[in-house]
Amino acid sequence: MKKMKAVIPAAGLGTRFLPATKAMPKEMLPVVDKPAIQYVVEEAVSADIDDILVIIGRNKNAISDHFDSVPELEVRLQQKGDHGRLERVMKSSDLADIHFVRQGEPKGLGHAVLRARTHVGDSSFAVLLGDDLIDERDPLLVDMIAAHERTGAAVIALMEVDPSQIHMYGAAAVDETDTDGVVKVTGLVEKPAAEDAPSNLAVIGRYVLPAKVFEILERTEPGKGGEIQLTDALQELAAETDGPGVVGVVFGGRRYDTGDRVDYIKAIVQLAADREDLGPGLRPWLKEFAERL
Ligand code: G1P
């Protein structure tokens, strides 16, 4: 079977992180010692994906440079005998076959995904949003790909959130299925007010989509915020009665949101505290710090 390709939309303006994102895309902000986008690329690679298309906006050079090799740096680390760092530096240029396409005007997530049409062609594909980091110890994408292969449906990742938070996400109306952790999605609304939300199941940024979604996106009108929303295209698929529709994989693992400043800081602290090389130095200080608060 042909391997699935992945699409990573990375054309957002990163307004919440200005001025850090004035000359650098937000996907390049470091999470401990790797840019956020590298975690997402590594996640795709660990789901057996080796062809990745990044949809870029302005300031794209930092992203493409990051996934390129830097011979001068490699030679220098080699000379210094710093093999650990050398390996880590080379890893980012050796992960996968990474391609880039420009979004042009930023007209929303649906529009960004539509820019992948030529590269993806007629096959199903995965979409991974860089603001959501999924802990590598809690795999999600492999389960979503399996659900897609089993059902032929578009597969979205869902997570229970506090009802007061649902206005920041796509929200899903669902029915149970015979499979634990897999639900049938009967409706989707982009960023509803708490009182209008069909549930507290939020769409998190992982999707496995049939190529048919491109046809729908072609005619999807701007929705919430005047943008072409992927959620609206998926709502159309969910409403179809003669196809496999949309299913949701409910994720109960560790997810870090790097799109919001406070959550970004939490992500860094949690990931660093868990690491073997940094945790022992950080954890005792964290305890002490927390006591002082
Ligand atoms: C996008 C989607 C939204 C989803 C969210 C997950 O919104 O439009 O449905 O819940 O990602 O992170 P954004 O956060 O890009 O505004």
Side-chain angles (χ1 to χ4, degrees):
M1 203 151 77
K2 230 169 57 180
K3 281 195 180 186
M4 193 172 273
K5 293 180 180 175
V7 174
I8 303 180
L13 295 177
T15 329
R16 278 183 277 188
F17 286 88
L18 280 169
T21 48
K22 191 175 165 198
M24 184 179 75
K26 67 170 173 179
E27 291 75 13
M28 286 300 295
L29 288 173
V31 177
V32 190
D33 50 8
K34 278 192 289 194
I37 193 167
Q38 187 173 335
Y39 288 84
V40 181
V41 168
E42 287 174 0
E43 182 191 336
V45 170
S46 62
D48 204 26
I49 291 172
D50 58 13
D51 181 309
I52 296 170
L53 178 71
V54 184
I55 318 288
I56 47 181
R58 64 193 178 94
N59 305 328
K60 52 141 192 154
N61 294 344
I63 299 182
S64 49
D65 287 351
H66 180 73
F67 292 106
D68 233 352
S69 56
V70 190
E72 321 78 275
L73 181 61
E74 288 166 18
V75 168
R76 213 174 147 84
L77 291 169
Q78 183 95 53
Q79 282 165 349
K80 279 172 60 184
D82 194 342
H83 300 295
R85 258 192 206 103
L86 177 64
E87 204 180 297
R88 291 201 291 279
V89 161
M90 287 173 72
K91 187 177 176 205
S92 59
S93 42
D94 221 19
L95 279 168
D97 204 359
I98 304 184
H99 308 264
F100 298 90
V101 66
R102 270 187 182 276
Q103 185 178 5
E105 273 175 272
K107 291 198 226 160
L109 179 60
H111 177 251
V113 170
L114 186 55
R115 299 287 294 126
R117 189 175 197 170
T118 311
H119 185 82
V120 167
D122 294 333
S123 312
S124 298
F125 62 106
V127 176
L128 294 90
L129 305 187
D131 283 350
D132 291 302
L133 299 191
I134 303 296
D135 198 299
E136 60 183 356
R137 294 163 291 184
D138 303 323
L140 166 64
L141 196 56
V142 270
D143 291 353
M144 295 175 69
I145 294 174
H148 174 73
E149 281 166 0
R150 213 168 49 235
T151 61
V155 182
I156 60 176
L158 296 172
M159 197 163 183
E160 274 187 48
V161 298
D162 190 89
S164 67
Q165 303 296 300
I166 197 75
H167 69 278
M168 300 194 297
Y169 298 93
V174 303
D175 286 337
E176 301 275 309
T177 67
D178 295 338
T179 316
D180 229 17
V182 177
V183 291
K184 173 91 190 147
V185 176
T186 57
L188 283 162
V189 197
E190 180 67 4
K191 303 198 174 95
E195 58 275 22
D196 301 328
S199 74
N200 65 336
L201 283 171
V203 177
I204 55 171
R206 298 294 178 270
Y207 307 80
V208 177
L209 303 174
K212 186 179 180 192
V213 80
F214 292 129
E215 278 163 46
I216 302 176
L217 283 169
E218 286 278 10
R219 52 182 152 77
T220 302
E221 297 287 334
K224 191 97 188 175
E227 297 188 336
I228 298 171
Q229 297 291 352
L230 182 57
T231 304
D232 294 345
L234 294 177
Q235 157 60 22
E236 192 174 321
L237 271 183
E240 273 182 5
T241 47
D242 56 348
V246 180
V247 305
V249 169
V250 181
F251 183 61
R254 285 160 283 193
R255 160 187 175 264
Y256 311 98
D257 179 358
T258 59
D260 170 83
R261 283 173 300 170
V262 170
D263 289 330
Y264 168 73
I265 294 164
K266 287 184 194 164
I268 294 175
V269 174
Q270 289 180 68
L271 286 165
D274 279 352
R275 267 183 39 176
E276 269 173 33
D277 55 346
L278 304 173
L282 181 62
R283 283 191 301 261
W285 175 82
L286 266 178
K287 276 202 191 116
E288 224 182 88
F289 182 67
E291 277 160 22
R292 273 190 272 137
L293 290 178

